Amino acid sequence: MDRLSGCSILEVGEYVAVPYAGKLLSDIGATVTKIERPKGDVAREVGPFVEEEPGVERSEFFGYLNTGKRSVRLPPGDATAADFIRDFIEHADVDVVIEEDLLEYGIDPGELVEDSEGLSVVSVSGFGMTGPFQEYEAPEIVAWAESGHMNKMGYPDSPPARLRIKAADYWAGQVAAISAMTALFDGVVQGAGGQHIDLAEREVGTSSLEYFVAGYSWSGDPSQRTGQGYPAQGDRTVGKTIYEAKDGYISASVGGRWETFCEEFLERPELIEDERFETRAARIEHRDEMLEILEEYLRGEEKWDLFRRLQEHGFPSAVTSTPADLAEFDHLKERDFWEDVELPSGDEVTMPGFPFLVDEERPAQERAPQLGEHDGEVYDALGYEYLPSSDTLRETGPAGSSRSVGGSAETDDDVERPLPLSGVKVLDFSWVYAGPHASRLMAALGADVVKVESEYNPDGIRGGFSFQFDAEPTSNVSAYYNEVNQGKRHLNLDLRTDRGREIALELMEEADVVMENYSPNFMDRIGLDYETIREANPEIVYLSMPGWGKTGPAKSYRAYGLIIQSMAGLDWISGFPEDPPTTSGMSWPDPVNAYMGLFSALVALYDRERTGEGAYVESALFEVTVSMMHKPLSEYMNNGRMPERMGNRDEDRRYVQGAYPCEGEDRWAVVAVESDAEWERLCEVMDRPDLLADERFESQSRRLSNHDAVDEAIAEWTSERAREEVRTRLQAHDVPAGIVADERDLVEYDPQMRVREYFVRHDHPEVGERTFQGFPFESSLHDIQFTSRAPLFGEHTEEVLKEWLGMAPEEIEAAEAAEALF
């Protein structure tokens, strides 16, 4: 697929986050050149490997994360390396550099932008490039803990936990790809010069905290993990979602339709009138008794039968899938989701397909490069020679490109520049989390986002999230709604009426993007299918974000984040071996799909500027989530090995790591050690020279084999100290460490967040001044932030109809009389 043909991307980073950003851009058509160290990206050393035989060209993990790229070896620290990179940027007409390692090659990323006309650089780091934590190391477990996610995951009697994939890294990779597309679109449409984008993985994670920051601002209480559902926060009660079945586990939500469950499944109608279960409040009061009845029944039923039957009766449900379950799921097979992809070794393996479709086509994933495969081609073109025997670089002569990289276009810092998406109109029919999260990011980037709802069918997150707010609850006071709808305008529109649908189509004629996450075929049934909209507006970008996809056996099944996460296999592989499968403690798939949806919309908008044609994009919540499971799926599908729950251990066996108890109730710190040098420094800080003499810990492989003993030694030291002391002392000695933060830590006490002014506050007419998540990256050209609160219900109806459609007051009155604006 060539949606980004002609775009040149330079990737200077390794392992997961930066390569995943490059992969997304490469698979959709950009030319991505990957700079690798002489021994290669460390991901080449991470399994699974073809036939379980390690080799730099045999890693299925690397093969997935680097599809379609070019590889050039370049030794960091070489005196000529910086010159080579600058020459390559000019010679290859590079548009965007996505990096985390430029400083190792002697290049300051901000100075590179200043010196290079039109070049943008996206810098990915753990804590950002400014602030007191800017030098801190943040492998994935640290970013996960520090961003506020780890405290939500795990059972109360176990340590806080992490997902058994590099969850925080994938989010960072997605947002890095979004940042690159933002810079590309900004240059093409707004005529902006190059910009330096500062992306902190920790802030991306905090931006993905669903409603919990606003929940803290509303309630004054941080969240607490529960293990099998959402965390408790304030006065919000939480329900169990994972249940044991006869042959495994299922995830289900049955409390909302208790009568149907009693009649159709339990076959005990007398429970409907049992005073213990008559009302929702009563069921909450007698939760343990209700769970006992549910669990006894579910343990006697097979998981796949339960899944099908529950869904057929309208209950959101899922098999808590193993990789074997996913491999055999008929829905994925019928949607041709699996793809056979060639590895650099020439072997072919099965991988998840590209995560979204454009005009009903799934982009193909081409072979990842062999190490240094394009050395000769690139070095010859630039007049350099790489000498592998000494890991050095030397110039061989001029090759038609000069060393001086032009200099940036003159800019006036006082000139007010339009934001990247200024002038873009977005009509947002989506609700709950994934769609609204994507569209609020568009609003912060400058788009005019209009959220469309009706009072007969409002967004489900308007109710039940007012916490301890003591005013009379209205549809405007939900913390959840106000968090994910910052920066938008609001329009009341009843699509049940003829006039409502007519107005919707008129608005779509004026829009640049239409987005929805309705059930499949809903828009078709009301006459607003894509073909109808496209006929009215050939340049429209239509973003559909269904739960399961628009086609396939499961297309009409109910879906929300926790259900999709369980079906995608994340719950089954995550948590501690002695515990049941463990949820992430939030709707992890929703921000994943929000970022993928936004990335796909930006790609389509960028391509439209060149072709004049819009696009139909389908980003299914389930498939996007399954694509993140590529490593455990590859372990099973290509190697026949079933992955196991590992707690906080590193599934890639790079780090000795964990969450360790500290002073205080339920206070934890995380520590991650990758090398002998880090282990020596850790032992020095802990004043444990005896550990250095212990043969069990003499190498990283030995430490990994004796992980329990390592954990015991670290926990003995941390348990006598405050978690902040653990972080400060270890990071001062270049040992990666962090605290398991909650919302209070982040909002009230975190110096890094304060200096970087991450959080925003809005004054709301019904709830007063409150704190919200901020935007996930910073730009040197723009002040990108959520500048306005979420809209009240119907607040901008008249305003939008006048501005977008030029409707006169009498026309608006007539629409109201026709009950179209309800």
Side-chain angles (χ1 to χ4, degrees), residues 154-229:
Y155 290 84
D157 295 333
S158 296
R162 58 178 289 271
L163 289 171
R164 194 190 177 275
I165 61 172
K166 296 293 185 284
D169 288 348
Y170 286 112
W171 275 337
Q174 287 183 296
V175 177
I178 289 168
S179 303
M181 286 308 309
T182 298
L184 286 168
F185 189 82
D186 202 12
V188 168
V189 178
Q190 308 297 358
Q195 56 191 289
H196 183 207
I197 291 175
D198 177 3
L199 189 158
E201 183 167 329
R202 189 255 205 126
E203 290 175 4
V204 172
T206 303
S207 295
S208 312
L209 272 179
E210 206 165 343
Y211 61 82
F212 292 103
V213 169
Y216 170 72
S217 187
W218 259 244
S219 69
D221 296 322
S223 57
Q224 297 176 309
R225 65 190 183 280
T226 61
Q228 285 198 343

Side-chain angles (χ1 to χ4, degrees), residues 476-517:
N476 297 316
V477 302
S478 161
Y480 201 160
Y481 168 82
N482 280 283
E483 179 67 89
V484 299
N485 288 286
Q486 297 176 72
K488 305 175 189 177
R489 299 199 285 178
H490 191 280
L491 169 71
N492 277 13
L493 195 63
D494 191 342
L495 298 179
R496 296 176 301 176
T497 66
D498 291 341
R499 184 58 182 139
R501 293 189 294 272
E502 289 172 0
I503 291 174
L505 187 58
E506 291 170 17
L507 290 165
M508 290 171 179
E509 289 184 55
E510 301 299 320
D512 297 285
V513 179
V514 171
M515 54 189 298
E516 50 83 10
N517 58 355

Side-chain angles (χ1 to χ4, degrees), residues 772-787:
F772 301 90
Q773 298 161 5
F775 194 75
F777 62 80
E778 298 180 359
S779 165
S780 62
L781 274 189
H782 306 286
D783 183 9
I784 304 174
Q785 192 51 277
F786 304 114
T787 56

Side-chain angles (χ1 to χ4, degrees), residues 625-679:
T625 307
V626 173
S627 72
M628 303 293 179
M629 283 278 293
H630 65 92
K631 177 182 169 68
L633 283 167
S634 191
E635 289 177 25
Y636 173 76
M637 297 179 74
N638 299 313
N639 296 63
R641 185 176 66 251
M642 186 66 72
E644 299 176 348
R645 290 191 286 281
M646 303 175 64
N648 290 318
R649 303 278 167 89
D650 180 13
E651 64 275 14
D652 296 341
R653 294 183 61 80
R654 287 187 63 201
Y655 292 91
V656 173
Q657 64 181 36
Y660 304 100
C662 297
E663 283 184 344
E665 183 179 353
D666 200 31
R667 293 290 182 261
W668 302 82
V670 294
V671 180
V673 174
E674 182 183 18
S675 67
D676 291 342
E678 287 177 355
W679 175 249

